[in-house]
Amino acid sequence: MSKIIVITGAGAGLGKNLAQRFASEGDTVVLLGRTLSKVQAVAAEIGERAMAVECDVGSAESVRAAFAAVAARYPKIDVLINNAAIFEPATVAEASDAHIINTININLIGSIFCARAAIPMLGAGGHIINVSSESIDVPFWHLTLYQTSKAGLERFSLSLHRELEPSGIRVTIIRAGQMMEEGKATGWDPEAAKRFHIANLQGGVDLMKRPISQFASVTGIFRAVIDLPPDVHVVNVQVHARAAG
């Protein structure tokens, strides 16, 4: 049965790949992103099954406006995927005010804003999926802020699961490993990236030897979680990259 799926951070990367897959399988996708032109471009590629909406998830006002626009077309939705996040290495001592605020706002508070806005539109049978990170367990260096934001997201998800269970809305955490898209750069400051790699190597994590999966390879996990029978719930899913045999 066709679903209406709202995806944050849908202008590139995992969000874009999820939107493309779901739409190709008959679902309607609502693409939220800070840069309207990016989500509009993805929606144009997908066609009539896609709606693009500008949304800065770190802003309560922007989230309210975005979900009001969604509700005007789709009063009821089936799934919210909180995928939007920023991932930039920095030590806490050197992090700028903007880096600290943006990391927590987008990665954690943004998911809370979007969940709050989506709950009245979901109803029984609805599903919220929060995308977390393997960095909570893997001892990466220079990612303290990112790790903190994702750990907070997991704690929020577990509590929200208990809060919403009586209403029939499921909440799932998908903790993902490293992913990439061919031809796409990180956009990191080169010096920060260099220090990130050196610090991790010295700390015992050789990033060059760790496997990385493609965004498209992970989308099947989300498909399986969304399509769970109504009498089944998965609270935690962990997805790790592996070396292709």
Side-chain angles (χ1 to χ4, degrees):
M1 185 175 179
S2 177
K3 292 179 170 61
I4 298 173
I5 303 173
V6 178
I7 306 169
T8 70
L14 177 61
K16 176 181 177 180
N17 279 264
L18 288 170
Q20 290 171 328
R21 173 165 186 157
F22 296 146
S24 71
E25 294 173 345
D27 295 311
T28 295
V29 291
V30 180
L31 317 178
L32 304 189
R34 272 193 300 179
T35 305
L36 182 59
S37 60
K38 286 187 177 180
V39 286
Q40 285 178 327
V42 177
E45 291 177 16
I46 293 173
E48 62 181 11
R49 291 190 178 277
M51 174 186 181
V53 181
E54 183 176 8
C55 182
D56 176 359
V57 299
S59 163
E61 292 77 13
S62 180
V63 170
R64 273 191 284 268
F67 277 83
V70 176
R73 183 179 297 185
Y74 305 113
K76 183 182 184 303
I77 63 174
D78 299 292
V79 181
L80 165 67
I81 300 177
N82 278 314
N83 164 72
I86 58 172
F87 174 78
E88 296 176 4
T91 64
V92 173
E94 297 173 343
S96 66
D97 293 350
H99 185 140
I100 295 170
I101 292 169
N102 287 339
T103 300
I104 303 302
N105 271 5
I106 293 173
N107 297 4
L108 174 56
I109 297 175
S111 295
I112 298 173
F113 284 156
C114 289
R116 180 181 64 176
I119 288 168
M121 301 169 64
L122 286 164
H127 205 147
I128 296 172
I129 298 176
N130 293 323
V131 180
S132 186
S133 166
E134 68 173 2
S135 68
I136 294 174
D137 282 342
V138 180
F140 293 116
W141 292 71
H142 292 199
L143 287 182
T144 299
L145 296 171
Y146 179 77
Q147 291 164 325
T148 298
S149 69
K150 289 299 188 181
L153 178 62
E154 291 200 5
R155 179 64 264 175
F156 166 69
S157 301
L158 294 172
S159 296
L160 186 65
H161 158 59
R162 290 198 302 271
E163 181 178 314
L164 296 180
E165 190 171 23
S167 67
I169 298 174
R170 293 182 284 194
V171 181
T172 298
I173 301 162
I174 296 185
R175 185 187 287 188
Q178 279 188 290
M179 291 175 280
M180 64 172 290
E181 192 166 18
E182 290 291 345
K184 298 291 184 180
T186 63
W188 291 349
D189 173 76
E191 182 60 30
K194 178 181 177 181
R195 293 175 60 232
F196 174 64
H197 281 270
I198 292 174
N200 279 283
L201 186 60
Q202 292 174 338
V205 180
D206 189 343
L207 299 175
M208 301 303 293
K209 293 182 179 179
R210 300 191 80 249
I212 301 176
S213 62
Q214 300 294 312
F215 287 117
S217 301
V218 180
T219 59
I221 303 297
F222 288 79
R223 177 83 270 171
V225 169
I226 288 172
D227 291 343
L228 287 170
D231 60 339
V232 176
H233 181 213
V234 175
V235 179
N236 293 284
V237 178
Q238 295 196 44
V239 185
H240 299 286
R242 65 184 293 270

